[in-house]
């Protein structure tokens, strides 16, 4: 069974909670996805609308683990401070660490990411770092105490699928025992299945579900694809060949020329 | 006293951080605070006296990916 920082999980899908057409749509999508982990954030709360209070009540009613993020942070200080604030309000030492380095692609600032991860691990956090497929960065994140890595598939919200299957396959092969989660860029269930066939342990989705015409139905489709991809990985896919090989036996074929 | 709450200028009539939060409608709410860029944990709010121009962030759980 999959294990993330000592928490056993049956579902291999993490679901983001942003951009749904309604709170009811989010709640229904969480149910059809069968996810056990949802991602959340911290944002300014108005003393008048108190929107965050209603959101938090709804999330608590879903009976899932929450993984707070540091989305939108661009510096080590911002990310570390946000993580400390998240730990107090969400009562969890899990943190999805994002330190954004480039505004067009929202790719991580991997230098700041490693520095922030080091500080947070020292402070007792269980860090889920949003990273790239770069092997040396992955190694440094593990060196500073991360036990899970979350490489991107493609830029956040792009829906492009796996931009660099070779790099992701290499990362999987290089760290065979580290839980690896594809975070960001997935657009279709087939993208998620491809990542699972490569041996990835989980998929984190948000936009592909939330912005679908029917989010709950899409969440269910992703759950099936992820399960199918995982089963295919466990079953051992065949190797690709350049030339054809008959699948029907040649021996015993009648001479009818 | 003039302070800044979540980026908006506000005039408040008390000085203790906890009292200001009550004054602005945050009493007994699930929130987390920072003062001038530094996290202020819930137990420490009672000890914080605000000054003119202080910048307070009041955050709460919100949707996230």
């Amino acid at each position: 069974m999959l294990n993330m920082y000592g928490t056993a999980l049956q579902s291999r899908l993490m679901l983001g909670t942003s951009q749904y057409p309604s709170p009811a749509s989010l709640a229904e999508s969480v149910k059809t996805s069968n996810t056990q982990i949802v991602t959340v954030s911290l944002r300014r709360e108005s003393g008048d609308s108190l929107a965050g209070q209603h959101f938090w009540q709804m999330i608590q009613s879903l009976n899932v683990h929450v993984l707070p993020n540091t989305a939108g942070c661009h510096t080590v200080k911002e990310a570390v401070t946000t993580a400390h604030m998240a730990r107090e309000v969400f009562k969890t030492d899990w943190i999805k660490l994002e330190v954004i380095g480039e505004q067009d692609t929202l790719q991580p600032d991997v230098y700041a990411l490693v520095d922030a991860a080091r500080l947070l691990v020292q402070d007792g956090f269980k860090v889920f770092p949003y990273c790239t497929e770069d092997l040396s960065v992955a190694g440094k994140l593990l060196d500073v105490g991360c036990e899970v890595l979350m490489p991107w598939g493609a830029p956040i919200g792009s829906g492009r699928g796996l931009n660099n299957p070779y790099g992701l396959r290499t990362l999987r092969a290089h760290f065979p025992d580290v839980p690896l989660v594809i975070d960001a860029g997935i657009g279709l269930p087939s993208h998620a299945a491809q990542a699972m066939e490569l041996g990835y342990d989980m998929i984190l989705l948000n936009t592909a579900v939330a912005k679908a015409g029917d989010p709950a139905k899409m969440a269910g489709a992703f759950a099936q694809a992820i399960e199918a991809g995982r089963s295919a990985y466990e079953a051992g896919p065949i190797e690709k060949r350049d030339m054809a090989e008959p699948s029907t036996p040649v021996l015993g074929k009648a001479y009818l020329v | 006293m003039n302070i800044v709450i979540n980026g908006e200028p506000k005039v408040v009539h008390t000085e203790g951080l906890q009292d200001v939060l009550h004054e602005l409608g945050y009493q007994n709410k699930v929130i987390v605070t920072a003062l001038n860029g530094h996290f202020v944990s819930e137990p420490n709010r009672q000890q914080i006296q605000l000054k003119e121009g202080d910048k307070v962030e009041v955050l709460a759980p919100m949707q996230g990916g």
Side-chain angles (χ1 to χ4, degrees):
Chain A
M1 185 179 288
L2 181 60
N3 189 303
M4 296 270 178
Y5 285 111
T7 298
L9 299 165
Q10 291 180 312
S11 169
R12 292 178 177 271
L13 192 163
M14 293 184 195
L15 198 61
T17 57
S18 190
Q19 307 180 87
Y20 291 80
S22 68
S25 173
L26 165 58
E28 195 183 349
S29 299
V30 168
K31 285 177 186 156
T32 55
S33 73
N34 286 321
T35 187
Q36 294 169 280
I37 301 175
V38 297
T39 55
V40 292
S41 73
L42 280 177
R43 287 293 181 266
R44 287 171 167 172
E45 179 79 324
S46 159
D48 298 323
S49 69
L50 295 169
Q53 309 303 304
H54 306 301
F55 170 73
W56 184 228
Q57 283 171 14
M58 192 272 285
I59 292 296
Q60 287 180 300
S61 74
L62 298 173
N63 198 28
V64 290
H65 299 283
V66 295
L67 175 58
N69 68 29
T70 63
C73 292
H74 287 74
T75 66
V76 173
K77 178 181 180 296
E78 263 189 305
V80 169
T81 301
T82 302
H84 280 274
M85 296 175 83
R87 182 162 64 179
E88 179 178 279
V89 82
F90 292 111
K91 314 283 189 235
T92 176
D93 51 11
W94 286 9
I95 191 73
K96 182 192 167 197
L97 181 60
E98 296 182 33
V99 187
I100 300 300
E102 208 285 322
Q103 205 50 43
D104 288 332
T105 59
L106 298 180
Q107 65 192 87
D109 176 340
V110 294
Y111 309 101
L113 181 70
V114 172
D115 288 344
R118 180 186 295 111
L119 293 170
L120 290 171
V121 169
Q122 287 169 357
D123 284 337
F125 284 88
K126 291 167 178 162
V127 178
F128 295 68
Y130 165 59
C131 56
T132 66
E133 65 274 28
D134 187 285
L135 291 183
S136 61
V137 171
K140 288 185 190 312
L141 288 166
L142 297 171
D143 287 346
V144 301
C146 295
E147 295 180 16
V148 174
L149 299 176
M150 301 184 63
W152 66 349
I156 294 169
S158 68
R160 294 175 56 85
L162 307 184
N163 260 356
N164 183 4
Y166 166 78
L168 292 169
R169 194 165 61 242
T170 305
L171 182 68
R172 177 70 286 176
H174 207 74
F175 300 106
D177 300 322
V178 176
L180 297 178
V181 183
I182 292 288
D183 175 11
I186 298 292
L188 291 168
S190 54
H191 300 154
Q194 183 190 7
M196 297 305 291
E197 288 163 5
L198 289 176
Y200 277 75
D201 295 284
M202 286 190 90
I203 307 289
L204 197 163
L205 297 165
N206 193 158
T207 308
V209 169
K211 298 297 239 184
D214 183 337
K217 190 164 188 174
M218 188 61 85
F222 268 107
Q224 292 175 55
I226 288 167
E227 198 170 320
R230 178 66 190 181
S231 292
Y233 171 72
E234 290 173 350
I238 63 165
E239 295 296 325
K240 283 183 185 171
R241 296 172 58 95
D242 287 331
M243 304 303 288
E245 183 179 27
S247 50
T248 302
V250 175
L251 188 67
K253 181 184 174 301
Y255 183 74
L256 302 171
V257 177
Chain B
M1 180 172 60
N2 295 291
I3 60 171
V4 177
I5 300 272
N6 288 346
E8 299 284 334
K10 291 268 183 194
V11 178
V12 295
H13 306 287
T14 49
E15 293 185 347
L17 175 57
Q18 189 77 335
D19 297 328
V20 167
L21 293 172
H22 282 217
E23 182 182 330
L24 296 175
Y26 295 109
Q27 67 274 24
N28 302 320
K29 297 296 184 286
V30 180
I31 55 165
V32 61
T33 53
L35 173 60
N36 298 327
H38 298 284
F39 170 45
V40 178
S41 68
E42 188 174 6
N44 287 333
R45 283 182 211 151
Q46 291 282 4
Q47 303 155 26
I48 299 286
Q49 293 296 308
L50 298 177
K51 302 185 304 292
E52 183 82 11
D54 272 346
K55 295 181 174 62
V56 178
E57 293 286 337
V58 184
L59 309 184
M62 211 64 73
Q63 294 86 348

